[in-house]
Amino acid sequence: MSALLNVSDLNAWYGESHILHGVNMHVTEGETVCILGRNGMGKTTTLRSIMGLVRKRTGAITFAGQDVMAMPLHRTARAGLGFVPEERGIFASLSVDENLMLPPVVAPGGMTLDEIFQLFPNLLERRNSPGTKLSGGEQQMLAMARILRTGARCLLLDEPTEGLAPVIIDAIGAVLRELKSRGMTVVLVEQNFRFASKVADRFYVMDHGVMTHEFPVGELDARMGMLQETLGV
Amino acid sequence: MIFGIPLQAFLGQLLVGLINGSFYALLSLGLAVIFGLLRVINFAHGAQYMLGAFVAFLALKFLGVPYWGALVVAPLVVGAVGALIERTLLSRLYDLDHLYGMLFTFGLALAIEGSFRWYFGASGQPYATPKALTGVFNLGFMVLPIYRAWVIVASLVVCLAVWALIEKTRLGATLRAATENPSLVQSFGINVPMLLTLTYALGAGLAALAGVLAAPIYQVSPLMGSNIIIVVFAVVVVGGMGSIMGAIVTGYLLGIAEGLTKVFYPEASNIVIFVIMAIVLILRPAGLFGKEG
Ligand SMILES: Nc1ncnc2c1ncn2[C@@H]1O[C@H](COP(=O)(O)OP(=O)(O)O)[C@@H](O)[C@H]1O
Ligand SMILES: [Mg+2]
């Protein structure tokens, strides 16, 4: 079966600094794939390069059979990729509602507002407050919710649990399991290894701009030694 | 009598101040809209104001387009020219230091004003007040030329409409978001480069509209823009870059301040706005409505 998202020999640069050195990865439809790796190894850069936010890149990226590399930035979302950035990217000059409605619907099959408020009840209460008056957890939920509305087929999720309290992390885990049951494809970047082991089907380990290991969740215990060494957990 | 000044003179200058303030508000609004999204200080704004007046003048002279038609046609023409310039030239500078955008628009202003001056000469051409707006309202305590009342009302309506567009609509929310983080907004599937082009066209169109409104009052001359734009930049500095409501309110307030200075201390009326600018810069460098830091 051919993959929904295929990345091969991806190199990427910020100005003169060469960050990604030939990333290879694939994601099958409906799968939740997690990229592990220490700080500064290139996980965020990988997601930003797939999305087209990093423009200086070589290699091949295809999504649903389309060549994503050739698209201008505003076409990637229309192809079905949705990006939830590490810093969440909630707009201060927009209300919660305006933040939620900002990304245009790109395909049918996205969540309705009712479904979104069922999944994220906090957002309903705070619809009219300014985006940045939300707590960190609520901002993360808003950043995910606004993409789920659009009908994106694949979610690029960058460290959703970073800096959040355990109850909120559990809530986000529940959301990810709900998404999986709906058939959503997810590429998750995580440092929280325990969290990732509960939601991911397959793992990549990233080190200095390349994927060094790949294994399914079933092999997690057998890989503990290697993970402790490369991640320093 | 107010403070020993005849009421007539006081109200007369208040009116002159409001008229000038109407133009300051329209022009600084356009500058603020452009700066907010493009981060370019549009030095061509005065030239675009002048172009608006000239389009009205030439359209009447050669095509018989009346004032009311010019109010629509001139902003469209100047907006389209602005869009073309942004698309083909200005957009190439976004990756460089913002200084280049400023220098480019400054050079553009010199080129446009220079060619008009060469072709039309420096003297002003009269533009007749439209028939429906000639005459005066006699308010008892003063006479108010109808055209001047119209300018104040039209400017207020346009300023509030643009404010509502940006603060209250979905398109406005997209504009505000793109002001904060353009690449993230583009990654949502929104054509931000197109948004930048339209925004520049909107700013240029607003300047042109102000130019048409100004034509019957100030005459049509190649240097009309460079005379007013210096004051408008001072208005923008006082109001604070990037605040829409700030640009509008400051425009009217400084126009009125200038008018009233003419009553109380005429010698200072030409510099009062710059004195206020200096004081604001010392006490509140981000401007009255700007965000600190
Ligand atoms: N905007 C940038 N400009 C220059 N270097 C950057 C930029 N963003 C990240 N980097 C560098 O790229 C490398 C990879 O960063 P990143 O992809 O954010 O890592 P991770 O997400 O795995 O922590 C780091 O060395 C980081 O310093
Ligand atoms: Mg990161």
Side-chain angles (χ1 to χ4, degrees), chain A residues 2-8 25-27 50 59-71 79 81:
Chain A
S2 77
L4 179 64
L5 172 67
N6 227 317
V7 177
S8 68
M25 65 181 291
H26 66 274
V27 183
I50 293 171
I61 305 169
T62 58
F63 181 77
Q66 293 166 276
D67 177 7
V68 175
M69 285 287 255
M71 295 178 185
L81 281 160

Side-chain angles (χ1 to χ4, degrees), chain A residues 14 17 19 38-46 86 159 191:
Chain A
Y14 288 116
S17 25
I19 306 294
R38 279 183 291 125
N39 258 331
M41 290 301 127
K43 305 181 298 297
T44 297
T45 308
T46 303
E86 190 169 359
E159 304 211 29
Q191 306 236 28

Side-chain angles (χ1 to χ4, degrees), chain B residues 53-130:
Chain B
F54 262 96
V55 169
F57 170 75
L58 296 173
L60 177 65
K61 189 167 172 188
F62 295 108
L63 304 171
V65 177
Y67 175 82
W68 302 105
L71 276 181
V72 178
V73 169
L76 286 180
V77 170
V78 177
V81 172
L84 193 69
I85 287 171
E86 192 279 342
R87 190 85 304 223
T88 54
L89 300 168
L90 189 56
S91 61
R92 294 171 192 275
L93 302 173
Y94 293 152
D95 290 338
L96 303 176
D97 193 285
H98 295 314
L99 202 55
Y100 286 88
M102 198 182 87
L103 283 174
F104 168 72
T105 57
F106 186 60
L108 186 66
L110 291 180
I112 294 173
E113 283 169 352
S115 14
F116 272 69
R117 199 172 167 183
W118 168 72
Y119 195 85
F120 293 97
S123 62
Q125 323 265 357
Y127 186 93
T129 305

